[in-house]
Amino acid sequence: MLNNPVWAALSGPQAGYAEAAGDAARYLPEIAPFCAVSDPSDPAAWRDLATLTDHALLTGPALSPGPGWVEESRMKGVQMVGTAMSAVDDPEAVPLTEHDVPEMLELVARAQPGPFRKRTLDLGRYLGIRAKDGRLISMAGERFRMPGWTEVSAVCTDPEFRGKGLGARLTLAVAAGILTRGELPFLHAVHDNEDAIRLYGRLGFSHNADVVFASFRHVG
């Protein structure tokens, strides 16, 4: 499952957030930009994907475009798993709800953690930490979910408040909720973000696989 997490999520626990056609699926556009095919080496799956969209963002250990698709961009990443973690709640972490989405989107715009849309919150539990004046300054939450696993995602902190360990605390708090459900946490990081990868290692995550994030366009 971890070698094709978006497909495992959209064909499983998160099927209710999917548009699907045969061996392809994508998140509803207001949820997330990710798409998936059941087998990236199967041309038929790529043909199914073309019935859903003409632009697709996929992730996995190895991705090459199917017939009729061209690659537009590619970024290397790593997948890390928290198989040896302990649950650590945080008393200052507050649940975020749909009423907090405007603030969450503003924080994402400042901190640039990666894709986050107005209904990404629907995918799972999100926690935040606020400054004394009430501003949302750090957050983290859950994204891809499949049997036995949930991804920790959107870990970000306002640049003004970085270096205080807020992201680490929220990563552990989100992971604690996942572990409490009897699941295991995993996450993704950009390959050259060495500081984040070292931090996740100190928190109890270990390297599972090298992955890519690649964008493709259908040209017919």
Side-chain angles (χ1 to χ4, degrees):
M1 285 184 291
L2 288 175
N3 66 346
N4 197 350
V6 180
W7 176 255
L10 291 179
S11 62
Q14 293 181 331
Y17 302 109
E19 294 178 348
D23 289 319
R26 70 169 183 170
Y27 282 101
L28 299 172
E30 64 270 26
I31 295 281
F34 287 95
C35 303
V37 290
S38 62
D39 179 356
S41 67
D42 181 4
W46 286 89
R47 288 195 292 271
D48 289 338
L49 184 60
T51 69
L52 296 173
T53 182
D54 56 6
H55 285 83
L57 174 64
L58 286 81
T59 185
L63 291 171
S64 298
W69 291 83
V70 295
E71 184 175 309
E72 292 190 313
S73 65
R74 177 174 292 245
M75 180 182 297
K76 293 181 179 180
V78 296
Q79 183 184 83
M80 304 180 74
V81 294
T83 54
M85 294 185 68
S86 300
V88 182
D89 289 315
D90 192 299
E92 293 187 33
V94 297
L96 299 175
T97 72
E98 61 182 9
H99 301 294
D100 300 304
V101 168
E103 278 190 283
M104 297 170 76
L105 292 171
E106 291 174 2
L107 177 58
V108 166
R110 296 194 300 273
Q112 299 292 316
F116 185 90
R117 295 185 172 177
K118 62 182 181 180
R119 285 190 56 204
T120 302
L121 179 74
D122 292 1
L123 295 179
R125 176 174 175 256
Y126 275 76
L127 299 175
I129 291 177
R130 294 185 176 276
K132 291 181 179 179
D133 61 6
R135 284 181 295 161
L136 181 65
I137 57 173
S138 190
M139 74 175 195
E142 301 173 357
R143 188 172 59 183
F144 308 147
R145 187 177 182 185
M146 63 202 75
W149 296 90
T150 296
E151 181 197 30
V152 179
S153 181
V155 181
C156 62
T157 299
D158 188 302
E160 181 183 346
F161 293 89
R162 287 176 181 164
K164 302 178 184 298
L166 301 181
R169 288 166 53 189
L170 287 174
T171 298
L172 288 171
V174 172
I178 295 168
L179 291 164
T180 299
R181 294 199 302 262
E183 300 173 351
L184 290 171
F186 72 106
L187 54 77
H188 294 96
V190 177
H191 187 269
D192 59 4
N193 192 348
E194 296 178 356
D195 289 342
I197 293 170
R198 281 195 295 269
L199 170 62
Y200 294 138
R202 291 196 296 270
L203 297 182
F205 288 89
S206 59
H207 180 275
N208 183 61
D210 293 327
V211 299
V212 296
F213 300 91
S215 176
F216 303 97
R217 177 169 55 91
H218 187 247
V219 295

